[in-house]
Each structure stands twice: as C-alpha cells, then as structure tokens.
Amino acid sequence: MSCAGDDLGVTSRERLLTALHGGTPDRVPVAPFGLGRLDPEGPVAAELIRRCDPFISVGVHPDPFLGANIPIEWKREPNALVQIMHIPGGDLVRRTEWNDATSAVTGHPFRTRADAERFLRAPYEPPVPDLAAWRRARDRLGDEGLVLVGLENPLCLPAAWFSPEEFCLAWAEAPDLVEALVRAAAERLAPYVDALCRAGVEGFRIVGGEYASVQLGPAAFRRLAIPYDRALVELMHRHGALAYYHNHGKVKGILPDLASIGMDALDPLEAPPWGDVADLGAARKAVDGRVCLVGNLDDMEVLERGNPEEAVRLGRERLRAAGRTGFILGGTASGTYGESAARAFMALARMAAEEASG
C-alpha cells in the first residue's frame, strides 16, 4: 500500500526505514508519533495514517525490572489504580491517579532508600514478554508506518521508582545505590530484549535518558545512561533491530555524547524555548551525520494552533536546514495532539512531496 500522493508507490514503512538507516528516501518522511487524542477508529486517524508516515509505539508486558516471581495485587478506586508488589521485608506500592485532563503517579514504590535496597536483595525470575499487542499493531498498520516497541532504559528503574525529589537526593547522597539499581536493571533488561528480538521485533524506542540529562546533569548522563544504553543498542544491532532514542530537553551540549550511544535515530530535538536545538543543520554536524534526526516542530505549541500555513513555513525551514538524508520531520512526540495538529501533519506531508519534486 502506498502513501497517498506518492507517484513512485513507495510505502511509508519503506520511506521511514530508508531515513532511519541514514539514506535518502523519495521524500522526507513526515511522522506523527502515535495518534495523539484522535479516535483511532475515526476518519481523521485513517486519513493521517494514509497521508503521513506515523510511528506507533507499543508497550510490552510484563515489567522486566520486577520479575515474574513477585506477587502483584491491584486495587481499583474511582480515580486511581494501586499496584502492590509483595517483596520480602515489606510491600512496594505504586499509586496512579487521574482526572479529566491528565494522569500521574502520586505514590512511588521506593519511599526510602531502604526500599530500594530491599528490592535489590529480592529474588528475581526473568519474565516472558507478551507480544500480542505488538503483533496486533503491526498487522493493523501494515506498510503505512512503523511499529516500535517502547522500552524503558535501565535508568528508568531508579528514576521512576523513586519520586523525582528522592531520585535527585539519592544521586547526590547515595550515587552508588543509584548506579547499583541501574546496573541491576541493565542485567534484567538484556535477556528480555534478546527474547523480543528473537521473536521478530525489528525496532525499539528507548526512553529514559532525560532523567539524567535534564534532572541530574551531563556528568550523570555520562555515567548512568551512556554505557548502559550503548550496550542495549549494541544488543539490538546484533539482531539487526533498530534503536530509536528519545530524549527531551536541552540537548545541544550533549549531542556528541548522545551519538556515542550508537542509536539509529534521535528525537525530539526540541526547538527553543522548551529545548535548545534552533538549527537542525548544526545538530547534524554535532552528531557527525551518524544519527537520523527526528523532529522538531512542537506538537502543541506549533502544530496544534490551527495554522497549517505557519506550520508548513516552519517545516520547510526545518527540512532545508536538515536536508533530505537521514532526517524525519516530526513533532516533539507529546502524544497529546488533536485534529488541528493532525491536519498540520498532513499539510507538511504535501510540502515534503513538493520539495522532493521541485
């Protein structure tokens, strides 16, 4: 199946894979990340998929950090879900609450550093990943985009199991404990990813680097993210799988460090004021052309404002700065955009086709 308006019959999947491998596709892919707030069964989502080149990220369960031998109890409340993990010495509890606008974790499993130490001592049995959701998404999307498995990097264990405040304090006061958690997570994640690759997963979207680069700083990023994420990417590459890396925030000063991880693609390269990547051409030079760049039009601040003409103008600037090789024009992967941004993505796809033919 080819993307609408594509005279050469190139599919979105082929277009994305060419760019991700550092090549020059028939036109620069225009890639919304997910379907945002669109009705996935509705006509706007269908048109977006048909005209653009979307990435769909699918989670895989169970949690590779927790292990298959830990009993879990769930309690549902009107606006909350409580997960109780029964480990030796006392339960770990995660509480998630929501309202009409958003959801958030309001209670984290590691209330104290003693909780984290007990977690490390608990017996661990590797879980078997369930790929049913990934298979459904892949079969449904076909060649009209690319399905990736969303994967938390090892840093996500301490960063998401402590509260943000306690995570930062733990790094300041007990850095060896934080790294012990990262190291344990890496050891547990490797066989899990190996199993996913052997089952046929062809691409991963790795999240979590920003917990260090934004919250802790460059030195922590180099210690807690780079070596462990590099090993993760090398494992994926041994199986021929793609590694797509997600890192919010100001990254201009650490782009060479990011590229040293060896990922195939990097997003979202946010422009000011939320990020500091004002020039995609300079970003390409900073990574020495080794990484496919994905971004950097803000889904909410630019694309959702309902001005497709302005979005196209900015998109054209981004495309000409980044070039047509190893570049994917996208948003900032908010996952919260609506119909206005969807229409802007479609207009950007038409512009990319015009640039390719002109």
Side-chain angles (χ1 to χ4, degrees):
M1 188 179 297
S2 64
C3 189
D6 177 7
D7 294 333
L8 299 179
V10 177
T11 67
S12 287
R13 174 186 166 80
E14 292 168 337
R15 186 175 293 125
L16 288 165
L17 289 174
T18 297
L20 289 167
H21 286 297
T24 306
D26 62 319
R27 68 158 172 83
V28 167
V30 174
F33 209 96
L35 300 178
R37 304 190 312 273
L38 301 177
D39 176 1
E41 306 293 338
V44 178
E47 186 178 3
L48 181 74
I49 292 170
R50 187 172 68 251
R51 296 188 181 280
C52 299
D53 314 292
F55 288 111
I56 302 296
S57 181
V58 177
V60 176
H61 300 284
D63 186 345
F65 299 150
L66 183 57
N69 57 311
I70 302 299
I72 301 174
E73 180 183 353
W74 297 92
K75 291 185 178 180
R76 296 185 181 273
E77 301 175 6
N79 292 300
L81 180 65
V82 181
Q83 180 190 27
I84 304 169
M85 296 163 272
H86 301 293
I87 70 167
D91 296 340
L92 301 178
V93 181
R94 177 185 286 113
R95 181 181 180 85
T96 305
E97 297 186 39
W98 59 85
N99 56 30
D100 292 340
T102 189
S103 64
V105 176
T106 57
H108 293 78
F110 296 159
R111 309 289 175 105
T112 67
R113 291 169 209 167
D115 288 338
E117 291 166 349
R118 286 192 301 107
F119 175 84
L120 287 173
R121 293 194 299 270
Y124 177 77
E125 180 182 320
V128 177
D130 180 357
L131 281 162
W134 170 74
R135 292 191 179 97
R136 286 195 300 270
R138 180 195 58 184
D139 294 346
R140 184 172 183 181
L141 190 63
D143 289 331
E144 292 190 296
L146 192 63
V147 176
L148 304 173
V149 164
L151 197 71
E152 293 184 335
N153 73 351
L155 180 57
C156 286
L157 175 56
W161 288 49
F162 280 116
S163 71
E165 178 183 8
E166 288 300 324
F167 171 56
C168 293
L169 288 172
W171 174 243
E173 299 171 358
D176 290 345
L177 172 61
V178 173
E179 187 159 21
L181 288 163
V182 173
R183 186 163 49 249
E187 292 169 354
R188 297 176 182 193
L189 196 55
Y192 196 80
V193 170
D194 184 77
L196 290 169
C197 290
R198 293 181 185 279
V201 172
E202 63 178 341
F204 297 85
R205 186 183 190 234
I206 305 167
V207 304
E210 64 208 53
Y211 281 124
S213 65
V214 174
Q215 289 183 238
L216 305 182
F221 184 80
R222 295 182 185 109
R223 178 173 168 182
L224 299 176
I226 290 178
Y228 299 99
D229 292 353
R230 182 186 291 137
L232 192 61
V233 168
E234 288 172 352
L235 171 59
M236 294 170 183
H237 285 169
R238 285 198 293 274
H239 287 282
L242 286 160
Y244 178 125
Y245 202 89
H246 173 76
N247 204 108
H248 274 299
K250 296 182 178 181
V251 298
K252 186 169 69 173
I254 61 166
L255 281 171
D257 290 321
L258 279 161
S260 74
I261 293 171
M263 75 283 286
D264 300 288
L266 173 66
D267 85 358
L269 301 157
E270 290 152 304
W274 310 116
D276 60 357
V277 181
D279 183 346
L280 286 170
R284 180 174 295 287
K285 291 178 182 177
V287 300
D288 197 26
R290 291 176 289 166
V291 180
C292 175
L293 303 181
V294 185
N296 67 343
L297 297 176
D298 192 287
D299 297 8
M300 305 305 294
E301 297 299 323
V302 174
L303 302 184
E304 188 69 359
R305 289 191 172 184
N307 188 341
E309 294 79 12
E310 176 66 5
V312 165
R313 183 187 69 78
L314 292 171
R316 199 183 304 273
E317 290 179 3
R318 303 295 200 271
L319 194 157
R320 291 178 177 177
R324 291 181 54 202
T325 299
F327 175 60
I328 297 172
L329 184 60
T332 47
S334 72
T336 59
Y337 69 89
E339 183 171 351
S340 293
R343 297 292 178 194
F345 276 122
M346 295 180 216
L348 288 165
R350 289 192 294 271
M351 177 275 295
E354 292 168 3
E355 288 286 315
S357 63

